[in-house]
């Protein structure tokens, strides 16, 4: 391999290219220690992250201490705390952690230490998974390239001049480069699936309400969902079962058992999709997308058919309005959620010198602390929610949201899963879209609809585009609470494509 940044590069430790499942098996059999596995990943980070910039914070001492604790427990004969105990992970810097700063990629939270762990963080710790550090993100998860991070962009290990996607480019780049075997992302409009597609990794946006949002700093509360990412479908499934499940601290958490995603991934790996009905969404299979992406997508659909699936075309006419609805609903929720960053309670405070009123301190703090995209969305949302515009914009967007949910319901009467390319093109160059917000928004075309409907989706590698030689993602979508279908179809595809 000539690219020293990709997983498995010559000179990197073998431990940083293994799957999480294999690492876990060897750690639990005491053929490897969690400490040496964790150290190998910290070494890889020290080696290349100066160029990749996947991490905003690396917690080497904390990760090694957690790893040693797992090793001691296993040495004393205790059963592993979870199937992933001892395997380290990278956590998107949107989840609170008591032992590392939580910045959300924003200056307004520079150095901010949370007094509590997010539920996702807590479950990871309880599962015996050492946390390597916090990964880069567009500011408060608003963006599609990590270029809106106040701390500089993440570079795609496939080509350092290109984006690793966003907002969770840090987590996906960490996986693709072998800096971490497991990572956590958040997906409000595609921020798990889209970076997964651009880096040839696997990412799942679980059904809304199945992964706790407690301690996940809010972007748009009706859309946000944490989820698992890894390099294989099976590793992703293992992590999914660690983080999902009811949580009394999240009022939108649903009280029902987690879909059997690990069993589904095992079943799928046999490569038989007989009886599975796959719908190709007409709206996401069209001219204007990069031809290399469409070619790979068509190959992927043919391949699913060859595994026994029945393929039909489905029409979801309101998906064409998803972008407009999303970019109204999201800013409205953002304008409300981000009101809490007022210079009084968290992070940055500017102008607190006795010469300014409280209102002035708030204004100065927000002016200095938020970046341009966050400000744009706060202004848009405030405008759309104001008297006289509320019905025309916010209420109208909510109606469109209902129509999109109805399109999905109709499609799932004919199909078990829907498929599309995850993104209209492969990874674009850093800088290409920064001055054109609409072009940036348009990149989310294929991933947004299911967030609006609260459903689940996966992106997994579907080879390289012939024209750009860069990764293409296949998106699989499934109905609410049928996350296991993603894993069955995804594992079958991965095992045989
Ligand atoms: N790129 C989309 C946005 O900017 C989605 C972000 C996300 O899923 N967090 O809003």
């Amino acid at each position: 391999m000539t690219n020293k940044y990709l997983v498995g590069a010559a000179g990197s430790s073998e431990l940083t290219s293994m799957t999480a499942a294999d690492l876990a098996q060897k750690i639990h059999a005491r053929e490897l220690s969690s400490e040496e596995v964790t150290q190998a990943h910290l070494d890889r980070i020290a080696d290349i992250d100066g160029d990749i910039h996947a991490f905003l914070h690396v917690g080497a001492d904390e990760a090694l201490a957690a790893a040693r604790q797992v090793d001691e427990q296993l040495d004393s004969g205790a059963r592993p705390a979870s199937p992933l105990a001892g395997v380290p992970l990278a956590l998107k810097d949107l989840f609170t952690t008591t032992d590392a700063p939580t910045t959300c990629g924003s200056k307004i939270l520079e150095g901010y230490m949370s007094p509590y762990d997010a539920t996702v963080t807590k479950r990871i710790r309880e599962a015996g998974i050492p946390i390597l550090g916090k990964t880069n993100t567009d500011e408060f998860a608003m963006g599609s390239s990590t270029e809106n991070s106040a701390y500089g962009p993440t570079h795609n290990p496939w080509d350092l001049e290109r984006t690793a996607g966003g907002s969770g480019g840090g987590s996906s780049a960490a996986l693709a480069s072998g800096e971490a075997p497991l990572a956590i992302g958040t997906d409000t409009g595609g921020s798990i699936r889209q970076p997964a597609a651009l880096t040839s990794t696997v990412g799942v946006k679980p059904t809304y309400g199945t992964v706790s949002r407690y301690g996940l700093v809010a972007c748009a509360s009706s859309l946000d969902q944490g989820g698992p990412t890894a390099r294989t479908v099976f590793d992703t499934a293992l992590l999914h079962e660690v983080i999902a499940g009811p949580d009394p601290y999240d009022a939108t958490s649903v009280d029902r058992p987690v879909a059997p995603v690990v069993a589904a991934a095992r079943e799928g790996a046999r490569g038989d999709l007989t009886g599975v009905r796959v719908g190709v969404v007409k709206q996401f299979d069209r001219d204007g997308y990069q031809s290399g992406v469409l070619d790979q997508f068509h190959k992927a659909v043919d391949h699913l058919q060859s595994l026994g699936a029945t393929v039909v075309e489905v029409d979801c006419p309101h998906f064409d309005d998803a972008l407009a609805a999303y970019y109204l609903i999201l800013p409205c929720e953002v304008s409300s959620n981000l009101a809490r960053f007022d210079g009084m309670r968290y992070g940055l405070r500017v102008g607190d010198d006795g010469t300014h009123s409280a209102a002035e301190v708030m204004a100065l703090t927000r002016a200095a602390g938020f970046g341009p995209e966050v400000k744009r969305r706060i202004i848009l949302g405030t405008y759309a929610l104001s008297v006289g515009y509320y019905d025309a914009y916010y209420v109208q967007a909510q109606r469109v949201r209902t129509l999109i949910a109805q399109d999905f319901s109709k499609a799932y009467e004919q199909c078990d899963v829907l498929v599309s390319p995850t993104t209209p093109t492969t990874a674009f160059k850093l800088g290409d879209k920064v001055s054109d917000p609409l072009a940036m928004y348009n990149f989310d075309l294929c991933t947004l609809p299911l967030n609006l409907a609260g459903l689940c989706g996966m992106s997994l590698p579907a080879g390289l585009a012939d024209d750009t030689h860069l990764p293409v993602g296949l998106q699989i979508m499934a109905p609410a609470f049928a996350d296991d279908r993603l894993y069955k179809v995804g594992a079958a595809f991965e095992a045989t494509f």
Side-chain angles (χ1 to χ4, degrees):
M1 190 155 315
T2 49
N3 181 341
K4 73 166 185 162
Y5 299 105
L6 279 178
V7 65
S12 69
S13 160
E14 204 191 317
L15 300 184
T16 60
S17 57
M18 285 166 64
T19 67
D22 285 347
L23 288 170
Q25 189 252 320
K26 289 199 185 317
I27 292 169
H28 301 171
R30 305 316 287 139
E31 289 163 32
L32 287 173
S33 70
S34 172
E35 185 176 1
E36 65 185 310
V37 170
T38 303
Q39 187 62 56
H41 288 91
L42 291 167
D43 292 346
R44 179 78 174 143
I45 293 169
D47 208 20
I48 60 167
D49 206 54
D51 296 333
I52 302 281
H53 194 40
F55 285 86
L56 293 178
H57 174 86
V58 178
D61 293 345
E62 294 81 359
L64 289 169
R68 273 183 225 114
Q69 206 183 338
V70 172
D71 287 330
E72 278 162 28
Q73 281 164 358
L74 292 173
D75 284 339
S76 75
R79 285 167 54 91
S82 78
L84 289 172
V87 183
L89 166 148
L91 183 63
K92 190 176 183 183
D93 198 18
L94 225 52
F95 288 91
T96 58
T97 42
T98 51
D99 56 356
T102 301
T103 71
C104 303
S106 182
K107 281 277 174 232
I108 212 159
L109 286 179
E110 190 163 14
Y112 171 71
M113 294 295 289
S114 167
Y116 70 101
D117 276 340
T119 296
V120 164
T121 309
K122 197 163 152 265
R123 291 198 177 158
I124 288 165
R125 294 196 207 277
E126 284 166 0
I129 298 175
I131 298 174
L132 296 163
K134 309 286 290 282
T135 55
N136 199 8
T137 167
D138 284 292
E139 188 173 4
F140 292 103
M142 294 177 220
S144 309
S145 67
T146 69
E147 289 167 288
N148 296 333
S149 166
Y151 305 101
T154 296
H155 299 260
N156 193 325
W158 287 82
D159 175 352
L160 294 191
E161 284 179 20
R162 291 177 188 272
T163 179
S167 62
S171 284
S172 296
L175 294 170
S177 62
E179 292 178 334
L182 298 167
I184 296 285
T186 69
D187 195 312
T188 303
S191 286
I192 288 177
R193 290 161 286 152
Q194 186 258 52
L198 303 194
T199 57
S200 198
T201 57
V202 182
V204 167
K205 185 270 179 205
T207 300
Y208 185 79
T210 59
V211 174
S212 172
R213 291 186 300 107
Y214 181 70
L216 163 59
V217 179
C219 173
S221 312
S222 76
L223 300 161
D224 297 341
Q225 191 68 178
T229 64
R231 288 191 296 266
T232 68
V233 171
F234 189 65
D235 285 356
T236 311
L238 290 171
L239 185 56
H240 193 132
E241 288 197 357
V242 167
I243 60 171
D247 178 16
Y249 291 117
D250 173 1
T252 57
S253 159
V254 284
D255 192 10
R256 55 188 289 162
V258 180
V261 296
V262 172
R266 280 215 179 88
E267 187 195 333
R270 294 202 286 266
D272 182 7
L273 292 179
T274 309
V276 177
R277 298 165 306 162
V278 174
V280 175
V281 182
K282 199 167 120 186
Q283 279 69 19
F284 296 148
D285 182 13
R286 60 165 52 146
D287 295 345
Y289 289 16
Q290 183 184 323
S291 66
V293 168
L294 283 182
D295 288 349
Q296 278 311 115
F297 174 63
H298 295 145
K299 275 185 218 161
V301 172
D302 290 347
H303 185 75
L304 291 172
Q305 206 160 12
S306 77
L307 298 179
T310 330
V311 175
V312 291
E313 188 181 75
V314 296
D315 190 17
C316 297
H318 300 97
F319 284 17
D320 286 334
D321 301 317
L323 196 84
Y326 174 89
Y327 279 101
L328 275 166
I329 292 167
L330 176 135
C332 289
E333 296 189 20
V334 160
S335 72
S336 160
N337 274 329
L338 270 61
R340 74 188 54 154
F341 301 106
D342 55 7
M344 302 293 140
R345 288 171 286 181
Y346 315 93
L348 187 72
R349 179 178 298 171
V350 177
D352 184 15
D353 55 8
T355 70
H356 295 99
S357 68
E360 283 165 347
V361 170
M362 287 182 196
L364 289 168
T365 301
R366 289 167 67 84
F370 288 139
E373 182 61 27
V374 169
K375 285 179 184 157
R376 175 167 21 246
R377 296 196 194 192
I378 291 173
I379 292 168
L380 280 171
T382 307
Y383 179 80
L385 286 175
S386 57
V387 178
Y389 297 106
Y390 179 83
D391 290 326
Y393 294 122
Y394 182 69
V395 173
Q396 189 69 2
Q398 293 290 8
R399 291 200 182 103
V400 172
R401 187 174 190 170
T402 302
L403 293 172
I404 289 165
Q406 287 170 354
D407 278 1
F408 272 114
S409 302
K410 280 195 204 117
Y412 289 130
E413 282 169 15
Q414 307 170 51
C415 307
D416 302 304
V417 295
L418 303 179
V419 293
S420 77
T422 309
T423 57
T425 71
T426 51
F428 52 88
K429 283 222 161 107
L430 291 166
D432 263 8
K433 296 187 200 286
V434 275
S435 56
D436 186 352
L438 281 180
M440 195 70 100
Y441 297 170
N442 258 306
F443 200 64
D444 306 328
L445 221 53
C446 311
T447 50
L448 299 173
L450 73 83
N451 296 80
L452 289 165
L455 314 182
C456 59
M458 167 187 282
S459 179
L460 78 166
L464 302 183
D466 278 343
D467 45 8
T468 55
H469 307 291
L470 288 166
V472 173
L474 170 67
Q475 177 174 233
I476 306 171
M477 298 170 262
F481 310 114
D483 305 54
D484 48 323
R485 289 187 205 169
L486 307 172
Y487 287 93
K488 180 178 167 183
V489 176
F493 184 80
E494 178 188 67
T496 54
F497 187 64

